[in-house]
Amino acid sequence: MDDIDFARLRAAMVDTQVAGRGVSSPTVLDAMRGVPREVFVPEPLREFAYEDVALPLPQGQTVPQPCVVGLMTGALGLSADSKVLEIGAGAGYTMAVLSRIAASVFAIEPVDQLAVTAATTLAGLGCGNAHVIHAEAAAGWPSQAPFDAILVHQGGSHVPEMLKQQLAVGGRLVMPVGADPGVLELVRVTRLSDVAFRTEDIADVRFDPALGARPRIPPIANRGASGTACDGRLSDEVLAAAIAAAGERFATPNIANLEPLLARIGDARVVLMGEASHGTAEFHRMRERISRELIERKDFTFIAIEADWPDAARIDHYVREARHRATEWTAFARFPVWMWRNQEVRGFVDWLHQHNKTATRKVAFHGLDLYSLYNSIRSVLGYLDDMDPPTAKVARQRYGCLTPWQSDPATYGHAALTDQYRTCEREVVSMLTELLKKRPVYAEHDGERFLDAVQNARLVTNAERYYREMYYGSRAAWNLRDTHMFETLKNLLAFHGPQSKAIVWAHNSHIGDSAATEMSLRGEFNIGHLCRKEFGNAAYLIGFGTHSGTVAAATHWDAPMEVKAVRPSLAGSYERLCHESGVARFILPLRQPTPTALIDGLNVSRLERAIGVIYRPETERQSHYFEAVLPRQFDEYIWFDETRAVTPLQTEEIEGLPDTYPFGL
């Protein structure tokens, strides 16, 4: 392996898999750039040294995943004079990183052979401030206490009291805690005094199994007529042939025969349609075709999309109130502009505008998401300026708490975690409460405008929490976002009346039932799962997939859109199984009338791909695949073997809009 440029791979790994996943400390990143991970890895696995995966050691332990090392080290808040204790040195990789930051590092390794190996490797690297002993981990190292920081690799149900007592006052302990060893909450314990400690949730972490292993999705009760799950009843070759036989083929979305699909949707009140990537034309076109049929033949009331409420409101004004055509495309002017501001979506919007000209009941167009913090504040203030100027003055004072962060709401989340800055939660909640108290007075003047104002106030309330909680990537931020989208959907159904019906457009990761994916192991849920619980069979979930082609995506947040080649799907994935069916395009029912044997064969955990507004093909397995059980995730799966990127509208982004997507699908 002499020809492998490990230094180049190390720099790329730190940039894309550590910094690219949210570790921002320059000290930690520099330390990781300086540690040759390959020397801690068994010789046969050194070619994988800079993949962001855990690598197995002969003693049954692992060299930990680099992004987890970066996250845990960053959470310790080390300085050049810190004294650190590491519990579980393993081969010594994390210890080498710590030794480049702290004054001294002491580590305990319960496996004697590993302790010797780690000490030898660290000495060879010149880590003179690193000390390893072979001992039981739970006892810590009392003779060297107190420590400014303690890092514990092994997860547990609680933080051991003995280790907490070895912290200096002001010291921090970081450890994964939880009941499920596969998905744990990274917590930080800070010693405030001799007797007082503060515990914070830092992030959900899935400690990847060693290279080649796969996570476990818990058993889930099956719905409908698909039978029970069973591993290995049919070979992949037989499954691919069965998919080819059961799939309802079509040539293009425009001429697809949707009669069988519409019959299966039946009287569903909420139809959720996904996408395997945000920047794919065929997914948009098929959703739009199905939506037109649902509107014309089943009287669906509104479309609700994974987009911000104020932006979608501009589209709604155009499709329902016939305002001048050009104004609606001032919406969606911030990153990622192409996600909704493209020719494919515009075609549907223009169709909906024409449909509403003659419709008895006009179909509305709404946004579900919560990123538009400051646009929503402006909308609330504009409404109150017209309806209740004294209350508008109070609102400006309350919302003023958030003004310093207008240019970058994500930095508010960072600032709100510090002791120097209080959160704005009380102010924004009180403003929403004030609006709701005056519902009878405001709503009688203009129910539509009141709905808009309340929804914007609710969005500000939830967005304030979201930006605080998402700073460390905790599951609470994801769950808050999808709960907000779900509550918005329910509010819209209530507003439009008991007979109203909704069409939802969002990514597969939001509309497929999260209980059937590894999201459930992290304690995450989504709008699809919440709809399934709330509406039962009256919620119909449709997923999409592709094998290869092109996609509109960026490499980093706020980076320019690129048309990227989509890599062929991985072996062992649902996408590869569909590709091997040999059918270019089909709709696959995941309930009846599809044969039970096929559903049972699909009803096992496989890889599934998810491309958001970011696509990184160089780390595709780690960045874009997750485990799922397809028949439990969706009611239907729509397949395009080859797809192409959306066509963005040739318009300029509006200058000065502050909101940006921080991260996520």
Side-chain angles (χ1 to χ4, degrees):
M1 298 184 189
D2 294 338
D3 58 341
I4 297 179
D5 187 350
F6 284 119
R8 181 184 63 81
L9 293 175
R10 181 163 63 250
M13 182 268 293
V14 173
D15 289 343
T16 61
Q17 297 302 325
V18 183
R21 293 191 176 191
V23 177
S24 59
S25 166
T27 305
V28 174
L29 297 175
D30 286 345
M32 296 188 72
R33 290 187 184 101
V35 175
R37 190 177 185 233
E38 70 272 13
V39 304
F40 299 95
V41 174
E43 179 70 32
L45 296 177
R46 287 188 176 177
E47 65 180 290
F48 304 109
Y50 294 104
E51 298 290 331
D52 192 41
V53 294
L55 295 171
L57 296 168
Q59 297 81 8
Q61 308 282 64
T62 63
V63 180
Q65 187 178 2
C67 71
V68 173
V69 171
L71 178 64
M72 295 180 75
T73 304
L76 290 172
L78 300 176
S79 63
D81 58 354
S82 294
K83 182 179 181 181
V84 184
L85 173 64
E86 181 185 12
I87 303 297
Y93 172 63
T94 305
M95 197 175 184
V97 174
L98 295 169
S99 72
R100 295 182 68 89
I101 304 172
S104 57
V105 183
F106 298 82
I108 297 172
E109 175 47 54
V111 179
D112 55 354
Q113 186 178 352
L114 271 179
V116 172
T117 300
T120 303
T121 305
L122 290 163
L125 291 175
C127 300
N129 60 343
H131 315 279
V132 188
I133 62 169
H134 168 231
E136 288 300 319
W141 202 330
S143 64
Q144 290 292 341
F147 297 97
D148 301 302
I150 300 176
L151 188 153
V152 184
H153 289 283
Q154 184 65 40
S157 60
H158 64 282
V159 177
E161 187 65 29
M162 186 173 292
L163 294 182
K164 291 168 63 176
Q165 294 302 324
Q166 292 178 38
L167 279 174
V169 174
R172 295 161 297 278
L173 180 152
V174 173
M175 172 182 170
V177 175
D180 190 322
V183 180
L184 300 165
E185 182 79 17
L186 195 65
V187 303
R188 176 170 56 198
V189 176
T190 302
R191 187 164 197 170
L192 304 176
S193 68
D194 287 344
V195 296
F197 297 86
R198 180 180 67 223
T199 300
E200 305 165 83
D201 290 344
I202 298 298
D204 295 311
V205 287
R206 187 188 76 202
F207 286 87
D208 281 354
L211 188 70
R214 299 172 74 165
R216 169 187 59 84
I217 296 177
I220 307 166
N222 216 8
R223 267 188 357 106
S226 60
T228 58
C230 172
D231 279 321
R233 287 187 184 177
L234 301 174
S235 68
D236 282 2
E237 183 179 2
V238 174
L239 280 173
I243 289 172
E248 297 166 358
R249 307 181 187 200
F250 59 91
T252 68
N254 285 342
I255 62 173
N257 177 15
L258 299 183
E259 291 295 337
L261 173 63
L262 295 172
R264 291 189 295 271
I265 290 174
D267 295 328
R269 188 180 186 195
V270 180
V271 175
L272 300 98
M273 288 186 276
E275 57 190 5
S277 60
H278 286 313
T280 297
E282 285 79 4
F283 300 155
H284 281 302
R285 291 193 184 283
M286 192 63 170
R287 289 194 304 198
E288 293 156 13
R289 169 74 200 291
I290 296 170
S291 297
R292 292 198 302 268
E293 297 294 327
L294 293 174
I295 290 167
E296 291 185 326
R297 301 174 59 181
K298 290 182 176 287
D299 297 322
F300 273 71
T301 315
F302 63 88
I303 306 281
I305 69 171
E306 182 191 338
D308 294 335
W309 177 271
D311 285 324
R314 299 183 191 183
I315 303 294
D316 187 52
H317 293 159
Y318 169 60
V319 300
R320 282 203 291 166
E321 298 179 18
R323 293 188 179 181
H324 188 267
R325 174 175 181 160
T327 61
E328 84 274 12
W329 294 113
T330 60
F332 313 126
R334 58 162 178 76
F335 180 88
V337 175
W338 68 91
M339 179 174 164
W340 296 113
R341 203 153 126 174
N342 57 62
Q343 295 287 0
E344 290 76 14
V345 172
R346 182 164 196 161
F348 175 75
V349 167
D350 287 342
W351 175 88
L352 191 57
H353 174 72
Q354 292 299 321
H355 169 84
N356 280 341
K357 284 183 176 180
T358 58
T360 304
R361 180 174 183 175
K362 295 182 179 181
V363 177
F365 192 98
H366 298 298
L368 297 175
D369 224 333
L370 51 55
Y371 288 129
S372 61
L373 181 62
Y374 293 97
N375 286 340
S376 291
I377 288 176
R378 284 192 288 270
S379 294
V380 173
L381 294 177
Y383 173 77
L384 290 173
D385 282 338
D386 291 342
M387 297 295 298
D388 190 345
T391 302
K393 183 177 180 180
V394 173
R396 281 186 168 82
Q397 293 172 344
R398 289 174 176 169
Y399 286 151
C401 174
L402 290 165
T403 300
W405 317 104
Q406 181 166 345
S407 63
D408 185 4
T411 61
Y412 167 70
H414 186 190
L417 292 175
T418 69
D419 294 333
Q420 288 75 36
Y421 192 81
R422 63 188 178 87
T423 73
C424 297
E425 182 175 17
R426 183 177 64 183
E427 284 83 354
V428 296
V429 169
S430 63
M431 199 59 249
L432 173 61
T433 303
E434 188 83 17
L435 271 176
L436 292 175
K437 281 181 180 177
K438 296 185 177 182
R439 178 193 298 268
V441 177
Y442 290 164
E444 70 178 58
H445 291 284
D446 188 336
E448 289 276 358
R449 284 200 70 194
F450 179 71
L451 168 70
D452 183 71
V454 167
Q455 181 56 33
N456 277 304
R458 184 175 284 113
L459 189 154
V460 173
T461 301
N462 288 336
E464 185 276 333
R465 283 184 56 205
Y466 176 81
Y467 282 113
R468 274 189 287 123
E469 292 175 352
M470 73 90 176
Y471 181 73
Y472 279 118
S474 174
R475 66 171 178 264
W478 174 279
N479 290 347
L480 172 63
R481 182 183 172 202
D482 272 58
T483 298
H484 173 86
M485 289 198 284
F486 175 66
E487 293 296 336
T488 300
L489 175 64
K490 288 207 303 179
N491 290 337
L492 288 169
L493 287 167
F495 176 80
H496 286 289
Q499 303 303 314
S500 61
K501 295 194 286 187
I503 299 167
V504 176
W505 293 354
H507 196 276
N508 282 353
S509 59
H510 291 293
I511 68 95
D513 189 340
S514 56
T517 76
E518 64 179 77
M519 290 170 63
S520 63
L521 297 178
R522 299 192 292 269
E524 293 175 347
F525 52 80
N526 63 9
I527 188 172
H529 180 66
L530 295 172
C531 283
R532 184 69 83 211
K533 289 176 63 177
E534 177 80 13
F535 302 110
N537 289 342
Y540 207 79
L541 283 50
I542 303 174
F544 287 73
T546 189
H547 172 67
S548 62
T550 60
V551 66
T555 300
H556 303 287
W557 293 107
D558 283 334
M561 188 211 84
E562 303 172 49
V563 175
K564 298 191 173 196
V566 177
R567 287 191 171 183
S569 56
L570 291 180
S573 66
Y574 283 110
E575 288 86 355
R576 178 58 65 88
L577 202 58
C578 290
H579 171 66
E580 291 176 351
S581 74
V583 181
R585 292 164 291 278
F586 60 76
I587 302 171
L588 180 66
L590 295 172
R591 308 282 176 256
Q592 292 181 342
T594 298
T596 299
L598 172 55
I599 300 301
D600 286 348
L602 295 174
N603 210 3
V604 296
S605 180
R606 287 179 179 267
L607 294 174
E608 185 180 310
R609 180 158 56 189
I611 299 173
V613 295
I614 301 300
Y615 183 42
R616 292 172 177 157
E618 67 278 4
T619 58
E620 185 164 54
R621 170 61 182 89
Q622 294 81 21
S623 301
H624 298 291
Y625 278 90
F626 62 98
E627 291 278 338
V629 180
L630 196 73
R632 299 173 182 175
Q633 188 184 9
F634 302 113
D635 296 298
E636 306 270 344
Y637 191 63
I638 300 181
W639 177 253
F640 293 88
D641 197 66
E642 185 174 358
T643 50
R644 61 180 180 82
V646 295
T647 304
L649 294 177
Q650 298 302 309
T651 53
E652 295 295 322
E653 293 186 32
I654 293 177
E655 297 291 334
L657 287 183
D659 294 319
T660 59
Y661 277 78
F663 53 82
L665 294 168

